[in-house]
Amino acid sequence: MFQLNPLNLLLITAGTLFVLGIVTFVGGVTVLIYRVTGRHLRTLATQTTQMAQKGVTEEVAGLVGNASSLLDSLNQLLKTTAGVGVFLCILGLIMVGSACWLAIQLYPVWP
């Protein structure tokens, strides 16, 4: 039978923190790889640029203004997505580091 004493509880906590840190880090890397460099955002940005160029050649001021506003929004979306990915990566590394520090602190008292 498994006995839950304070040492075992701390080891379970360290293991859980380590696993959650790895999952968070992998999630951040996934966001950075697939969301920031996504095919859909590149396609939308290229089509918006083409629309803005067409608006300039045909002298349609409203089309150019809306296209530039859309490009600015896309730029902000990419920055936000990259920020979320980097935050998740850093948070994951901090969690893994904390779990390792806790395991190192518990090593001398392990029977």
Side-chain angles (χ1 to χ4, degrees):
M1 184 76 179
F2 181 74
Q3 293 180 352
L4 188 61
N5 56 27
L7 181 62
N8 287 338
L9 184 63
L10 285 174
L11 286 173
I12 291 171
T13 303
T16 304
L17 190 62
F18 184 79
V19 170
L20 286 176
I22 293 295
V23 169
T24 305
F25 181 77
V26 168
V29 169
T30 304
V31 166
L32 285 174
I33 290 174
Y34 293 113
R35 300 287 181 169
V36 173
T37 60
R39 178 175 41 106
H40 302 295
L41 287 176
R42 282 186 278 154
T43 304
L44 188 59
T46 348
Q47 289 176 356
T48 305
T49 305
Q50 291 171 351
M51 185 175 68
Q53 290 172 350
K54 184 176 182 180
V56 169
T57 58
E58 295 178 5
E59 298 180 9
V60 180
L63 184 64
V64 174
N66 289 337
S68 68
S69 173
L70 182 59
L71 281 174
D72 289 339
S73 297
L74 280 174
N75 191 20
Q76 290 291 10
L77 177 69
L78 287 174
K79 286 180 183 177
T80 302
T81 305
V84 167
V86 168
F87 173 74
L88 286 175
C89 287
I90 291 173
L91 182 65
L93 289 175
I94 289 172
M95 290 170 74
V96 167
S98 299
C100 290
W101 177 82
L102 184 59
I104 289 170
Q105 297 299 316
L106 292 175
Y107 181 73
V109 295
W110 184 254

